[in-house]
Each structure stands twice: as C-alpha cells, then as structure tokens.
Amino acid sequence: MAPPSGQTTFQTTGNSGAEKYANINWDELGFGLIPIDYMYVMKCCEEKNFSDGNLIPYGNIEMSPSAGILNYGQGLLEGLKAYRKEDGCDVLLFRPDQNAQRMKNGAERLCMPSPSVEQFVEAVKQTVLANKHWVPPPGKGSLYIRPLLIGSGPILGMSPAPEYTFLIYASPVGNYHKGPLNLVVEDKLHRATPGGTGGVKAVTNYSPVFKAMTQAKANGFSDVLFLDALTGKNIEELSACNIFIVKGNVISTPATHGTILPGVTRKSIMEIAFTFGYQVEEREIPVEDLLEADELFCTGTAMVVNPVACVTYHNKRVEYKTGAETVSHKLYVMLTGIQTGRIEDKMGWTVKVD
C-alpha cells in the first residue's frame, strides 16, 4: 500500500531481501504520536454483535456531541506492541489475546458489547500488516497499537449508548522513560477506590491522575506512586504501570483486587520470574516494605520493565539497586528477547503477523 502524500519509504536490506520502512529518523524515535497510514474501524448497534470491520485512512472521526463517550466517559482503551524480528522482515505481536480478554472484561463492567477475542486479534493483525513499514527496524523501537472501544452513539439520558465503535490506530515509538525512575509517593490524591473501575482499562481512569503527575514532574520526579484509598498505607500502582519490589529471592507486587489494573506485562514478568526460581508474591505491600526493599521496578506495555532508582515519601528519600546485575535487568532481557524473537518463545506468547 502506498503511503499518503508527503511520506516516502526507503529500502533496507535484511537476511531475506529488501524491506520497506517509513522515511523517518529511527534513531531519534521517542514516545509520541506519529500518524501512520491506516486505522481499523468496526461498529456495533445496541444488543447486536460486532461485524464487518475494515481499514480506512488514518484521520479524524465524526461523532455526535451527545455521544456516550463524550458525555459519560463510556469507553475503554488497550495498548500492545508489534516488534520486528532481527531478520528485519517478520513481525511479532505479544500476547494479544490477553489484551482482547481484558477489553471484554472491561466492556462487561461498563455495559458495552465487545469484539470477540478472535475479532480483536484479527483486527490488530490487519492494522499492523497495513502499516508494516511503520514497524521500526530491529532495536529501534516498536509499533505501539492502541485499540479503543467507545460508546459512539448519541444519548442524552444517563444510560448506555445505542451504538459502539471499535477502533485501532498505531504509532511507532521508542522508550517511554529514558533511564531509572525517580518516584514520589502520593498520599492525598488517589488513583482508584474499591468498587470503582481501577481494575479495568476505562478511559476515565487516566485524566484524574494528571494533577498529581503534573505536580510531581514539576518537582523533578519521573512519576507518582499511589496508595490505597481505604487505608492510605499500602502501595498500589503508578499513573499508568504496575510496580514490583525485590527483597532477597522474593519478588512481590500488589494484588489486583479491583483497584489495580491486571497488566499483561505484569503477568508475564511474574511467570518469567517463577521459571527463574524466584518466589513470587501477590499481596498487600505496606509503604514500610517498599522503603526496605533491595530493588524496585515497574512494568507496563509502554515502558516494558523499568528500574526505580529512588523513592521519596514524606521527604524521606530511599535509593535502590539499578544496573546490569539487578533482577529487573535479568527479567527485562528475557522478556524483550521473547518479544523480539531473539530468545525462543517456550511460553507460546508471540503471534506472527502474516
């Protein structure tokens, strides 16, 4: 498929011949939106099933000002990545079925119909294939894929929308964070509450953290670590990623009881750590355990696995191990090796896009 006007491609040569890439500076790729060629759209009316999705040129969408997503925030988002293998040709997805199932779970919580797991995965494949030249060269980044499920139909009264849109767009990205994180514990504002939507990927979960995150960055911190709303004593997660602590041979992460998002990367890291022989725990983690840990790291689709260099809590600053000898680095190497095909995928997690 030809790129839009003003965008060209160039040739690079891999093991199996020439491969086209979009003409951008891949060495300076950050984590920002770069519009690509095509997006995927599929619609569904109330009490019916999704069907007949198709690819259209990337661009703005038309929507009623009374759409459910605009008035009542009835919407979900997902995030996953496509990676180019070292041969420069084959492209892999990482556990797309997990994102599909998480969207289904969220849709049930928000009273929305959702695509089947098979429809979700096929739509992601089609989107990546249509934009394959935007998947970065090996070692330069990945194609970040953003599926959305929104109440697009018009509604005035307080009720679910009459029509829904499933949409997928994507953007090539580099690293989300550059280097170890410097966190601050937030003890006044909360990300989620028991019985709320913190355990699903609702669009309304994200803008409420902007205030705490903006204040933290203005004070020189990388991100915010939120505490539980019930007691204010236990850590939960950052603005958009899960957290782990390491003490000796034990790796612990807060249990997901409805206020913490069950991350796909989080789940994968736990499974890899178990195969490495670590004791892996899901439990309540008091702030005191955080401050006494040997090592901290965060996980998420955007950041993958990122070490934490220091945490500030009530003006007390604690530093942690970072570098090539840490547990987080060991887990990062294994995970990214599987994602990019450098290491044999014995877990059956990767899906070839063809």
Side-chain angles (χ1 to χ4, degrees):
M1 296 179 179
S5 176
Q7 293 177 351
T8 58
T9 59
F10 66 89
Q11 302 279 351
T12 63
T13 302
N15 295 334
S16 54
E19 177 69 22
K20 289 185 176 181
Y21 292 94
N23 189 16
I24 64 173
N25 188 340
W26 297 106
D27 292 323
E28 296 184 0
L29 196 60
F31 200 94
L33 179 65
I34 298 175
I36 58 173
D37 298 346
Y38 298 97
M39 61 185 187
Y40 184 95
V41 177
M42 182 164 55
K43 293 184 179 291
C44 173
C45 292
E46 192 175 18
E47 298 180 356
K48 292 187 179 180
N49 296 322
F50 278 95
S51 62
D52 301 324
N54 61 290
L55 292 161
I56 62 173
Y58 176 86
N60 295 338
I61 58 175
E62 185 174 303
M63 189 177 296
S64 168
S66 60
I69 180 65
L70 299 179
N71 290 262
Y72 302 118
Q74 192 185 22
L76 297 160
L77 59 85
E78 271 299 331
L80 64 158
K81 288 179 176 177
Y83 299 87
R84 197 177 292 274
K85 293 181 67 175
E86 287 187 343
D87 62 9
C89 294
D90 289 342
V91 173
L92 299 175
L93 298 173
F94 184 73
R95 309 189 79 172
D97 59 308
Q98 298 293 306
N99 298 90
Q101 186 58 55
R102 187 168 63 182
M103 177 170 275
K104 287 184 68 66
N105 296 342
E108 191 277 331
R109 176 66 175 82
L110 299 187
C111 297
M112 297 193 290
S114 63
S116 68
V117 171
E118 293 74 20
Q119 286 176 318
F120 181 104
V121 174
E122 179 59 28
V124 169
K125 285 183 176 182
Q126 288 188 37
T127 305
V128 174
L129 276 175
N131 299 286
K132 190 177 178 182
H133 55 287
W134 288 102
V135 181
K140 302 297 184 181
S142 57
L143 185 70
Y144 187 87
I145 305 156
R146 171 53 58 81
L148 297 169
L149 179 60
I150 59 176
S152 51
I155 189 76
L156 183 61
M158 188 76 168
S159 64
E163 181 187 80
Y164 298 88
T165 298
F166 174 63
L167 185 151
I168 304 175
Y169 70 92
S171 175
V173 297
N175 292 331
Y176 188 71
H177 287 291
K178 296 185 184 298
L181 303 178
N182 173 17
L183 304 181
V184 61
V185 176
E186 172 59 56
D187 60 357
K188 294 181 178 62
L189 301 175
H190 297 285
R191 177 192 165 272
T193 57
T197 59
V200 299
K201 212 164 172 64
V203 298
T204 50
N205 289 350
Y206 293 88
S207 58
V209 309
F210 290 169
K211 182 175 183 179
M213 189 170 65
T214 300
Q215 291 174 343
K217 290 188 175 182
N219 289 318
F221 298 102
S222 309
D223 208 335
V224 178
L225 176 57
F226 290 94
L227 301 178
D228 74 292
L230 201 60
T231 71
K233 296 179 180 180
N234 302 311
I235 65 171
E236 289 209 327
E237 63 178 280
L238 278 68
S239 57
C241 60
N242 298 117
I243 189 165
F244 288 78
I245 72 170
V246 181
K247 187 72 173 178
N249 195 54
V250 181
I251 301 176
S252 305
T253 191
T256 56
H257 292 315
T259 57
I260 296 172
L261 187 73
V264 177
T265 309
R266 171 186 181 273
K267 180 179 181 179
S268 305
I269 284 296
M270 290 172 64
E271 294 177 35
I272 291 172
F274 181 78
T275 66
F276 281 173
Y278 291 101
Q279 181 180 334
V280 182
E281 298 180 339
E282 292 182 89
R283 63 177 177 89
E284 287 187 348
I285 301 179
V287 176
E288 291 74 19
D289 288 6
L290 170 87
L291 301 178
E292 294 173 1
D294 300 327
E295 184 183 335
L296 260 62
F297 62 91
C298 299
T299 63
T301 298
M303 68 170 53
V304 191
V305 179
N306 212 115
V308 175
C310 53
V311 170
T312 298
Y313 177 62
H314 289 170
N315 296 319
K316 178 182 179 180
R317 177 185 167 105
V318 178
E319 297 184 351
Y320 302 93
K321 296 177 185 176
T322 61
E325 302 303 316
T326 58
V327 173
S328 64
H329 183 73
K330 182 179 179 181
L331 296 171
Y332 170 83
V333 170
M334 175 59 75
L335 178 65
T336 55
I338 294 172
Q339 290 173 330
T340 59
R342 294 193 311 271
I343 295 174
E344 182 184 357
D345 177 17
K346 296 180 180 180
M347 303 287 198
W349 288 342
T350 56
V351 176
K352 183 179 177 181
V353 178
D354 52 20

